[in-house]
Amino acid sequence: MAAIDVYEEEPLRNPGHPLLKMENVVATPHIGYVTRDEYEVQFSDIFDQITAYAAGTPINVVNPNVFNVLKDRQRG
C-alpha cells in the first residue's frame, strides 16, 4: 500500500499514469493533507501570531535578531 501526493511532474493529469492504475495506491493532489482539523490548527496559529505581532510581542519568529537590527535603524 502507498499514499502519494508528490510527483516528478505536477499536476498529475495523465489518467494512464502507472501509479493511477495500481489498486494498492492512493494518489491525491499535493494538497492531500488538507483537512478541516488541519485548517483550524493552522488558522488558529496564524491568528495567534498576528495578534502577538500587533501587541509588540511576536512569536514563532524564524530570525528574532531582525528586531534588534530594526530597532538600531530606528535609533540612528
Side-chain angles (χ1 to χ4, degrees):
M1 300 296 295
I4 301 170
D5 76 339
V6 178
Y7 310 94
E8 188 171 332
E9 291 184 29
E10 292 194 32
L12 187 59
R13 295 183 181 180
N14 177 3
H17 192 284
L19 284 174
L20 300 180
K21 295 188 173 278
M22 299 175 79
E23 291 182 16
N24 63 338
V25 171
V26 175
T28 67
H30 194 62
I31 61 168
Y33 71 93
V34 177
T35 65
R36 182 182 188 112
D37 290 340
E38 182 60 30
Y39 269 135
E40 288 176 6
V41 168
Q42 286 181 19
F43 285 111
S44 176
D45 287 348
I46 291 167
F47 183 78
D48 291 345
Q49 291 177 47
I50 291 170
T51 55
Y53 181 84
T57 54
I59 57 174
N60 300 330
V61 178
V62 175
N63 183 3
N65 291 330
V66 73
F67 294 111
N68 296 331
V69 172
L70 293 173
K71 286 178 187 174
D72 289 345
R73 287 184 184 173
Q74 290 173 348
R75 288 183 197 143

